[in-house]
Amino acid sequence: MVVRCGPELVAPEGVEAQTCVLTQDGGVWARAYYRNATGEELRPVLSLMGPGGRTVELHCAPATDDEPGTCETPRVPSPAVPRSATAVAEFVGAGPVGEEPLLLRAGSERAPDVGD
């Protein structure tokens, strides 16, 4: 299994997250590790973006407490080079969609170019 994670990020409001792309046996998927210390319910959304503009988006279970959590997209076949996939997790408040501010956006690292 190959795992590429972005940096662990912490928002001033108290949201912590790290997003990773995982590849194994011709499949690719995204995973987000997070912790919500805001005291408010948050709506995490995890997106896996692959070659050709293909995207898998998953609305994770609401993050409601200070316990660490994870969210993972389903594995998808990746006939193209799986190292070109990236992932992004976004955390917004649980109020009306479009009215709550984005509290944190965490992304995976890009794979190095061949030869790097």
Side-chain angles (χ1 to χ4, degrees), residues 1 19-20 60 92 108-109 114:
M1 179 183 317
T19 305
C20 305
C60 307
V92 297
S108 64
E109 291 289 328
V114 175

Side-chain angles (χ1 to χ4, degrees), residues 7-87:
E8 294 180 32
L9 300 177
V10 179
E13 294 82 1
V15 182
E16 302 174 21
Q18 182 178 36
T19 305
C20 305
V21 171
L22 301 89
T23 56
Q24 183 177 32
D25 300 330
V28 62
W29 66 102
R31 181 182 296 156
Y33 301 94
Y34 60 87
R35 185 170 158 258
N36 175 12
T38 66
E40 304 291 327
E41 183 177 303
L42 300 179
R43 284 192 313 256
V45 176
L46 179 59
S47 300
L48 172 68
M49 292 146 304
R54 293 183 302 162
T55 301
V56 175
E57 184 176 278
L58 178 71
H59 293 261
C60 307
T64 58
D65 57 33
D66 195 19
E67 294 299 315
T70 61
C71 180
E72 191 170 290
T73 66
R75 291 182 190 205
V76 294
S78 183
V81 182
R83 42 196 252 72
S84 63
T86 58

Side-chain angles (χ1 to χ4, degrees), residues 41 43 91-103:
E41 183 177 303
R43 284 192 313 256
F91 296 82
V92 297
V97 173
E99 293 182 21
E100 289 292 327
L102 175 65
L103 299 177

